[in-house]
Amino acid sequence: MANELKPVHDGLPPERTALAQALRDLFAGLGVTSRRYAARRSYDSSSVSRYLSGQRLPRWEFVLNLLNDVAEARGTTPTEETVGMLRTLHAAAWQTGNSPVHRVELLERQLAEADRKAQGAAARERWLQDTLEDREHRIRDLGMRYRELQAGAALTDPVGTDGESANEQAWLRAEIRDLKEELTRVRALHREAEDRCERLERELAEAEKTAARDGAPPLPAARELLDGGLRLQGTAAGRDTYPTVNIGHSTGDITVFTDSWQVDEEFVSSVSVRLQGAEGDIGNGLLFDAETVITLGSSLARSEVRNSLGQVKVVLGTKSVWGTPVEERTVARPDIRESMPLWVLRLSEPVAVPDRPLTYDSRVMPGTRLVVSAHTPEFGSYSCVLDVKGRSGGWLRASGEVISGLSGAPAFSSSGSLVGLVALRARDGNGGLILPVTALRALTTLKLDV
C-alpha cells in the first residue's frame, strides 16, 4: 500500500517535507489506498495524493480528520501530544507558503488566536474586577464590625474577637493587593491582544485584496480548534465541506487544550497516599519523601483507629506500610472557632518515590485550577479539578466536586506545584477549603523550602 503513494515531492522546504512525512506515517495506519480514503471521506482523490506528497498544503481540518480516522481504526483516542505535534508541523509548513491564499489563511489563523486571547483576557479582567469589589466590600464590613466591637461594653471575649477580626482584615488586605497587581497585568495583556487583533485585521484586509487581484478563490473563515473544550467531529459531504465544531463531550471527539495545563496527573497520583485505621479508610495524605507522609484531619487523634503501637496503615498503590505519627500541629479553621490537626507520619520502611522533586506554589491567585487525585470510601480512586475562588482566614476556598473522603489529599496547580491539602467539604459538596502549603512551614520535623 505504501508504494501506491507518490513519493514526497523534491525541492520542498524542510517544514513542508516534515508535514508530508508525518501525514504519510499517519495515513499508513489506515491500511487503505488514498483513492479509497478519498471516496470514504468524499474528498478529491488527486488532492489527497498531493497532500501526502507535499505538493499541496492541506487545511488543518484534513489533518484532524485523518488523525481521528486513524485513531478510530486502531480503537484508540488521539493524545494531546500528537495533536500538538501535528499542529506545530502544520503551522510551520503554512509559514513557508508564499501564495496569497496561504497568506490569507495564515492571517486568519493568527487573528483567531489573537481574538481568543483578547476574549480570555477580557473575561479574566471582569472576574478580577468583580472579585476585587467583593473583597473591598468585605473589608469595609469588617472595619465597621471591628469598630462596633470596640465600642461594645458587654463583650465576653473582646480581645480574642478583635484579634480574629484584625487577622481577617490583614488577610483581605493582602488578597486585595494581589488582586490589584493581577488586574494591572491582565489589563496590559488585554490591551496588547486588542492591538494585535487590529493589526492583523488590517493585514488580512490587504492580503484578501491581493488574493482577489491574483484571481485566487475566496477562503472561508479559518475554523481552528483554538479554545480548550471545542471538539471537532469530521463530516464531509463534499470536497470543500468543513467539519462541524461542537461544544461538549462526545465519544471519539478530539479535545485540544491550549491553556497552560502542565501538571502530570500520574505524578499527582503517585504522591497521593491512602490512610487506613482499624475501622477502614480514614483519609488521604501527601508522600513527602521516601519515609514521610503529611496529612490533615482529626481521625488520627482517635486512639481506636491505631494499632497497639500507635500506627496507621499507609497504602501506596498495591503496597502498604505502617506509619507512626511523629508530629502534630494545630491550624485554626476559618469557619468555626476550632482547630484542625496537621500530622507528620514516619513510615516503617522506605518506599519508592517519583524522580522529580516536589515544588510549591504559595501565591495562588483566584481562578487558578487545581487537580486532586485521591481515594475515597465511596468511589475508590477519584480525581477532580477545582477552581480557586479566594481566601478565608488564610485558607483557600475552592469550587468543584469535593466529595466526602478527600480530606488530606494534596492539591496541585496547573504548573504541577503543590498548593495545599484538601481539608473541609462544603455542605452542598460543590467545593471546600484547602489548607495552603505555607501552613506546612509550622512543621518542625521537616524542612520545606516554601
Side-chain angles (χ1 to χ4, degrees):
M1 202 277 295
N3 294 332
E4 176 264 340
L5 297 178
K6 295 180 180 179
V8 176
H9 196 65
D10 293 333
L12 293 175
E15 296 84 355
R16 291 183 63 171
T17 300
L19 175 63
Q21 189 59 56
L23 294 179
R24 293 167 74 91
D25 294 341
L26 191 62
F27 183 79
L30 285 176
V32 298
T33 64
S34 61
R35 187 177 299 278
R36 181 173 171 181
Y37 180 64
R40 179 185 298 175
R41 273 285 183 179
S42 297
Y43 290 144
D44 179 72
S45 60
S46 61
S47 295
V48 173
S49 178
R50 292 189 181 99
Y51 294 156
L52 298 175
S53 67
Q55 290 178 282
R56 183 175 175 183
L57 283 174
R59 291 188 180 276
W60 176 240
E61 288 81 4
F62 173 85
V63 179
L64 275 179
N65 282 341
L66 177 59
L67 176 60
N68 201 26
D69 292 339
V70 173
E72 183 178 353
R74 293 175 174 174
T76 60
T77 302
T79 64
E80 293 181 34
E81 291 77 11
T82 302
V83 175
M85 180 271 291
L86 289 172
R87 180 182 289 281
T88 300
L89 292 176
H90 185 261
W94 273 89
Q95 290 279 3
T96 65
N98 296 318
S99 73
V101 172
H102 291 162
R103 175 66 174 165
V104 169
E105 172 139 338
L106 182 61
L107 287 170
E108 283 180 341
R109 293 180 58 186
Q110 292 174 346
L111 178 57
E113 172 67 12
D115 180 64
R116 182 190 68 83
K117 290 182 177 179
Q119 287 183 317
R124 178 71 173 164
E125 184 178 342
R126 289 192 298 270
W127 187 91
L128 286 167
Q129 288 173 332
D130 292 342
T131 305
L132 184 58
E133 290 178 5
D134 173 73
R135 302 303 182 270
E136 290 173 340
H137 283 311
R138 286 176 58 190
I139 202 168
R140 283 196 294 270
D141 292 342
L142 280 172
M144 292 177 60
R145 189 176 69 183
Y146 184 71
R147 289 190 293 273
E148 290 172 358
L149 291 172
Q150 286 183 319
L155 292 175
T156 58
D157 185 16
V159 175
T161 306
D162 287 356
E164 289 179 6
S165 180
N167 287 339
E168 191 167 356
Q169 288 186 67
W171 279 109
L172 282 171
R173 289 192 186 99
E175 187 175 1
I176 288 172
R177 182 182 63 249
D178 291 342
L179 286 169
K180 286 181 176 179
E181 292 176 358
E182 176 72 1
L183 183 57
T184 299
R185 186 185 69 83
V186 170
R187 280 175 174 165
L189 291 175
H190 189 193
R191 287 193 297 270
E192 291 176 6
E194 291 292 348
D195 290 343
R196 177 166 172 75
C197 285
E198 291 180 6
R199 291 195 301 270
L200 288 170
E201 283 188 87
R202 291 193 294 269
E203 292 179 28
L204 181 57
E206 290 299 320
E208 288 173 340
K209 290 178 182 178
T210 301
R213 285 197 302 268
D214 292 351
L219 285 170
R223 297 186 186 181
E224 297 297 336
L225 298 185
L226 296 174
D227 276 338
L230 289 184
R231 275 71 175 178
L232 186 62
Q233 294 180 319
T235 59
R239 52 190 282 184
D240 295 323
T241 300
Y242 287 84
T244 302
V245 178
N246 295 326
I247 299 178
H249 294 274
S250 179
T251 303
D253 293 351
I254 297 176
T255 305
V256 181
F257 296 97
T258 58
D259 62 8
S260 57
W261 191 258
Q262 303 171 28
V263 64
D264 181 351
E265 295 189 31
E266 290 186 5
F267 170 77
V268 173
S269 179
S270 67
V271 296
S272 301
V273 301
R274 171 185 175 191
L275 305 180
Q276 288 185 327
E279 302 173 350
D281 291 340
I282 57 175
N284 299 273
L286 167 71
L287 182 62
F288 178 73
D289 58 34
E291 298 179 334
T292 311
V293 166
I294 303 173
T295 188
L296 184 69
S298 56
S299 296
L300 281 175
R302 295 158 46 203
S303 59
E304 61 267 25
V305 305
R306 307 188 198 181
N307 65 12
S308 59
L309 298 177
Q311 301 169 319
V312 295
K313 187 177 293 185
V314 178
V315 181
L316 309 91
T318 58
K319 181 180 177 63
S320 63
V321 297
W322 290 105
T324 303
V326 295
E327 183 177 3
E328 176 188 2
R329 294 284 170 177
T330 57
V331 288
R333 288 170 52 170
D335 55 337
I336 55 177
R337 298 180 65 178
E338 292 183 5
S339 298
M340 177 173 284
L342 179 65
W343 301 85
V344 175
L345 305 181
R346 195 72 69 211
L347 302 182
S348 57
E349 60 181 272
V351 297
V353 295
D355 293 333
R356 58 173 285 188
L358 278 172
T359 57
Y360 309 100
D361 191 346
S362 59
R363 292 182 60 83
V364 178
M365 297 298 298
T368 302
R369 298 172 67 205
L370 309 179
V371 63
V372 176
S373 179
H375 189 281
T376 67
E378 183 177 0
F379 295 101
S381 297
Y382 182 86
S383 63
C384 59
V385 175
L386 309 178
D387 293 310
V388 175
K389 295 301 183 183
R391 292 178 182 266
S392 293
W395 293 56
L396 298 174
R397 299 194 318 277
S399 65
E401 296 178 328
V402 180
I403 64 173
S404 177
L406 288 184
S407 176
F412 289 80
S413 66
S414 60
S415 63
S417 298
L418 178 68
V419 170
L421 304 179
V422 178
L424 299 171
R425 175 175 179 259
R427 290 186 179 90
D428 60 3
N430 292 322
L433 293 176
I434 295 174
L435 181 70
V437 69
T438 50
L440 304 185
R441 294 172 181 163
L443 299 172
T444 59
T445 55
L446 301 177
K447 292 183 178 180
L448 290 89
D449 186 19
V450 180

